[in-house]
Every structure is written in structure tokens, then in C-alpha cells.
Amino acid sequence: MTDKAEPRMYDKVKDNVKSALSSAPRVALTCDGWTSRATEAFVTITCHYVNEEWELMSHVLQTQAMHESHTGSNIAELLKAALEEWDLVSKDPAIVTDNAANMSAAAELAGMLHFRCFAHTLNLASQRALKLPAVARLLGRVRRISTFFKRSTTASHVLRQKQKLLELPEHKLITDVVTRWNSAHDMLERFLEQQPAVSAALLSNELRKTEKEVCTLCESDITSAEEIVDAMKPMKIATLVMSKESSPTLSVVAPLHAQLIQDFQESRADSEIKAKEIKAAICQDLSKRYMDQQKETMYVCSALDPRFKALPFLPDDEREEIYLRITAEARRIQELFQEEAEVIPGEEDNHVTRMTFLPAHHPRRKRTCAVWLICLVQLTVQVLR
């Protein structure tokens, strides 16, 4: 199995993936370093592209052990080797990574268009708010309670009894994970949902002996938990939006980033100190992100998305500059495909419709796609103007 069957299976799948990638004019890569439970370091590279049926496709190209230091130069060499192995150098790939400095350096050394993962950016900003002393203390107390019910079979049984008695959903308490900020939000939400049952369980005769192991929350703590959940709700919604896998999300980044900064501005309605501190921490962290050349590309993507084409989050001069850039690019594409989009004499009215029923790999089908592309870009520019 390991010497013959698995290598043959791998080679077969690899040939199929390379064949599929060969038809894609452009590709995007995602790259991340991670550590296994056995404390072994790996780097995973995934490739994304749109096929000829306009479907978003993804393939994990490799998960490779990396025993060397995770410096930008070492990761850049790994990326270059992967591009060579999978024949992707000519496809001018872009790459998405986390916000780590070594990943940014690797993308620059590899000469690739680089974008920082917005979901990771949201996580960093949220973690900054969760590390505020008052918030961290409350999270620690809720964490001890949820861990207590998770580890004790007796406590878990008593909690289920109280849930039935109080007609609450029979949900288990959630314990947060350090690397995922939204797990802390989920932990507080679930605790607030089950708070009556939790309090009743801790006051029961079965658990009074062990109640000293956990810190019960007072009324002010419950109020603080509600404030934190409400204050962090926009970040939870944004994280869910950026977690989609069925459609590209780059066009969403710029408007969502601008909306979050606006939402987390301090307002007179913020009566509680914790809410103000959370908003200030998140707003300060988000404001320093995407201040480089990445933002122009994101603005173009947003302008080409029908949902955000008006670019309401930009001042007039920047909006006009983006529209001019798109117009210039549309003209360049039109000139590039001018010869490929020749119309058959006498069939000017129906050639596009007829061509769309040709096989996907037919050369005339590809010329028709060029026609559609030019029409789409021209229409977009007209709408923008």
C-alpha cells in the first residue's frame, strides 16, 4: 500500500489537479504555517481559481514539513519551489497569508502580489479588546465555570436537570480557544443563555461541596458580560461574512473595514466604560491596517462588485481615481482581446449566443468568453460613470 498503491494514487490525483490548473489564466494561493499535536511544524499551500464554468475551485497543493527556521527567505524558497512544481509561475499568482512579518517578507521575496487575511486581522483586533484587564478577568471567571461543568460528570448531570426544570435549551457550556476570538464571544453568549440553570446547579446540594472550585458571578458581572457581547457583535458578524468558502471575499474587505471603524467610534450612547474601552481598542487596531498599496487593489475589487460599486466609503477624489483606473484597464483589455474577438461575417447578431453552446475547450468558445469579458467591463465602467 505505502510503496506502490499510495504513490500511484498520488501521481494520478496530482496529474488531474495540474491539468485543471493549466486551464486557469490566473490563480490565487493561500499559505499558512501551523504546528501539529506532535509539535511538528508544517506549511500548507492551497490554490484557488475560477474554472471555465465560472465555479470557484480549490486544491490543497501540499502540506510540507518545515524543519528550518520560519524566516521569510526560507518560506519564499518553499513558495518558489511549489510554483515551479505545479507550473504556476506564468499565472502571476497572488497570495493570501496571515499578518505575520515573515509571511509578508516571503511574499515580497517571491515577487508575489500579497494580501493579508482580513479574518486574521479581525482576530487580532478582537484579541486586543479581549486582553483589556476588566474583560480578561471576566472571561477567566466564566472559563473556570464552563471548565468545571465540562470536567465534572456530576455537575453536567445537575446542569441538565436544571435546564429541563427551567425549560432552557439543553446546550452544553462552551470553553473558549485562545487562537479564535469568536470562541470567547460564543462562550459568553452561551453562559448568558444558561446563567439561570448554572446558578441553580451551583446552589444545589450535590454541588455545594465543590462550589468553592469556581467563582460565582454577581449581578454586575452578568451585566458586564452582556455589555461585552453587545459591543463585540459587529466583529462576530464580520468574521462570519469573511468565513465564506463558496465565493471570493476580497471585494468585501474595504467596505467592511470602513464600516467597522465607523461602528467602533465612540458615541454618546456608550454609557458603560467597558464598551468604550472595547470600541477604542478595536478601532485603534483596525485603523492601522491596510494603509499600504493593498488598499487600491481592494478598492478596485469593491468597485467591480455590484453591491459596493458606488464606493460610498471613499472621498470623491479617491473614488474618481479608482474609476479612472478601471476605465484604463478596460481599454487595455479591449485592445488585448481585439483580434481574439473577431465576428464571423454575416453572423453578427447570433454569434455570441451560438458560441456559448460550444465545448468548454473549443477555441471559438474562448473567443466568445473574451467578447463577454469586454462587454462586462465596458458595462461596468458605464455604470460607474
Side-chain angles (χ1 to χ4, degrees):
M1 285 293 294
T2 58
D3 293 339
K4 295 182 179 180
E6 286 185 4
R8 281 200 301 266
M9 186 182 301
Y10 173 80
D11 291 337
K12 182 179 179 180
V13 174
K14 183 176 181 179
D15 290 340
N16 292 338
V17 172
K18 291 183 74 171
S19 176
L21 292 175
S22 65
S23 62
R26 292 288 304 274
V27 298
L29 303 180
T30 49
C31 178
D32 192 24
W34 55 281
T35 304
S36 70
R37 293 183 178 180
T39 64
E40 292 181 294
F42 293 91
V43 174
T44 297
I45 300 176
T46 306
C47 184
H48 314 267
Y49 64 97
V50 177
N51 65 12
E52 293 179 338
E53 303 299 327
W54 295 92
E55 297 172 330
L56 182 62
M57 307 295 293
S58 298
H59 301 290
V60 177
L61 301 185
Q62 65 181 48
T63 295
Q64 182 171 322
M66 189 169 184
H67 305 296
E68 305 86 2
S69 177
H70 287 203
T71 62
S73 58
N74 288 339
I75 297 176
E77 291 301 319
L78 186 147
L79 289 173
K80 291 178 182 178
L83 294 179
E84 291 285 349
E85 179 181 356
W86 294 91
D87 301 328
L88 299 177
V89 177
S90 61
K91 299 186 182 297
D92 193 19
I95 187 168
V96 178
T97 70
D98 59 21
N99 288 260
N102 60 341
M103 286 296 185
S104 298
E108 183 177 357
L109 291 172
M112 302 174 67
L113 179 63
H114 177 231
F115 293 96
R116 299 178 185 88
C117 174
F118 189 56
H120 187 253
T121 298
L122 295 175
N123 185 66
L124 293 177
S126 301
Q127 292 286 4
R128 182 169 180 173
L130 296 180
K131 290 178 181 178
L132 292 170
V135 178
R137 280 196 299 269
L138 179 61
L139 288 175
R141 299 174 74 176
V142 175
R143 189 181 300 116
R144 282 192 291 272
I145 293 174
S146 63
T147 303
F148 169 72
F149 280 97
K150 183 177 181 180
R151 292 179 178 178
S152 172
T153 55
T154 302
S156 181
H157 175 69
V158 173
L159 179 62
R160 286 195 297 270
Q161 289 181 325
K162 301 304 180 183
Q163 288 172 334
K164 293 179 180 178
L165 183 64
L166 296 171
E167 297 183 349
L168 291 173
E170 294 185 35
H171 295 158
K172 293 183 178 181
L173 297 181
I174 297 173
T175 304
D176 61 342
V177 180
V178 177
T179 55
R180 296 184 178 89
W181 84 266
N182 50 312
S183 65
H185 187 274
D186 294 340
M187 180 178 70
L188 288 180
E189 268 193 329
R190 180 60 55 81
F191 177 80
L192 291 173
E193 175 194 85
Q194 298 296 330
Q195 190 269 330
V198 170
S199 298
L202 291 175
L203 293 174
S204 64
N205 294 329
E206 296 93 331
L207 300 184
R208 279 185 180 180
K209 296 179 181 180
T210 56
E211 184 184 351
K212 295 180 180 179
E213 296 181 13
V214 295
C215 300
T216 56
L217 302 188
C218 60
E219 186 176 347
S220 61
D221 293 328
I222 302 299
T223 303
S224 296
E226 293 172 343
E227 294 168 4
I228 295 171
V229 169
D230 290 339
M232 300 291 289
K233 190 173 182 179
M235 296 296 283
K236 176 68 179 295
I237 296 174
T239 300
L240 293 176
V241 170
M242 297 307 301
S243 299
K244 293 181 178 179
E245 295 184 353
S246 59
S247 60
T249 53
L250 185 58
S251 63
V252 184
V253 173
L256 189 54
H257 181 253
Q259 184 64 49
L260 286 173
I261 291 178
Q262 180 179 335
D263 289 344
F264 284 101
Q265 295 292 335
E266 185 176 338
S267 65
R268 295 180 179 178
D270 299 329
S271 58
E272 299 297 334
I273 297 178
K274 288 187 181 66
K276 293 181 180 179
E277 292 178 346
I278 289 173
K279 286 189 173 184
I282 293 177
C283 187
Q284 184 178 358
D285 192 273
L286 289 178
S287 297
K288 67 181 182 181
R289 308 287 180 179
Y290 301 107
M291 300 301 292
D292 52 13
Q293 66 275 13
Q294 288 186 352
K295 64 180 182 180
E296 292 188 4
T297 304
M298 293 191 300
Y299 293 163
V300 170
C301 292
S302 298
L304 293 175
D305 190 321
R307 298 170 295 177
F308 315 115
K309 61 187 178 184
L311 302 179
F313 52 90
L314 289 182
D316 293 341
D317 55 341
E318 289 189 45
R319 186 185 304 119
E320 186 64 21
E321 184 179 345
I322 296 300
Y323 290 165
L324 291 174
R325 178 177 172 181
I326 294 176
T327 304
E329 182 67 13
R331 293 196 185 110
R332 188 189 70 81
I333 294 176
Q334 186 175 16
E335 293 173 359
L336 184 64
F337 288 103
Q338 194 94 36
E339 296 181 358
E340 294 293 329
E342 293 178 353
V343 177
I344 302 175
E347 299 185 7
E348 291 83 354
D349 295 333
N350 64 357
H351 79 287
V352 170
T353 303
R354 185 175 56 79
M355 294 288 190
T356 56
F357 293 98
L358 292 173
H361 296 283
H362 197 285
R364 292 167 71 185
R365 168 72 177 269
K366 293 182 179 179
R367 287 198 294 270
T368 302
C369 291
V371 175
W372 280 111
L373 178 61
I374 293 172
C375 294
L376 177 61
V377 175
Q378 288 177 336
L379 178 61
T380 301
V381 173
Q382 290 175 1
V383 173
L384 292 175
R385 303 293 293 176

